[in-house]
Amino acid sequence: MMYGYGNGTLSGWDWILMATSMIVFWGALISIGVIWYRGRTRTTRTRPPAGHQQSAPEHILAERYARGEMDENQYSAQLATLRRSARS
């Protein structure tokens, strides 16, 4: 007794549907794995090293100095001003 349609063989559309669903399945599985891996490793890369944490204003100032928006004298003066105001 045969179940299904036709003589029990797959037509061209069946093969295309099977191949497409296989590609989608493996693509989704690999994508989930990559997203999971990047999520697990991203938290360790974004943390600053222990003992070297800057306040937000000092970090912004250091970024501006690194981009060349100010020279060394301006950076030193503004950094000193920030640190003096933080102690007050």
Side-chain angles (χ1 to χ4, degrees):
M1 181 179 291
M2 291 180 47
Y3 298 99
Y5 299 106
N7 59 2
T9 60
L10 297 175
S11 69
W13 289 109
D14 295 331
W15 285 105
I16 292 172
L17 181 62
M18 251 189 336
T20 304
S21 62
M22 179 79 67
I23 291 169
V24 168
F25 171 75
W26 285 109
L29 194 64
I30 290 169
S31 297
I32 289 170
V34 168
I35 290 169
W36 176 79
Y37 176 77
R38 291 180 80 186
R40 300 245 325 151
T41 58
R42 181 167 296 164
T43 57
T44 59
R45 279 190 260 150
T46 56
R47 290 185 191 150
H52 187 268
Q53 297 188 7
Q54 291 181 328
S55 66
E58 287 181 14
H59 183 71
I60 294 170
L61 188 63
E63 285 180 351
R64 289 184 60 202
Y65 176 65
R67 285 193 300 261
E69 294 179 10
M70 60 180 64
D71 63 4
E72 186 176 355
N73 294 332
Q74 290 174 325
Y75 173 74
S76 299
Q78 289 185 11
L79 185 61
T81 303
L82 278 175
R83 290 185 176 164
R84 270 195 311 266
S85 66
R87 280 185 243 152
S88 302

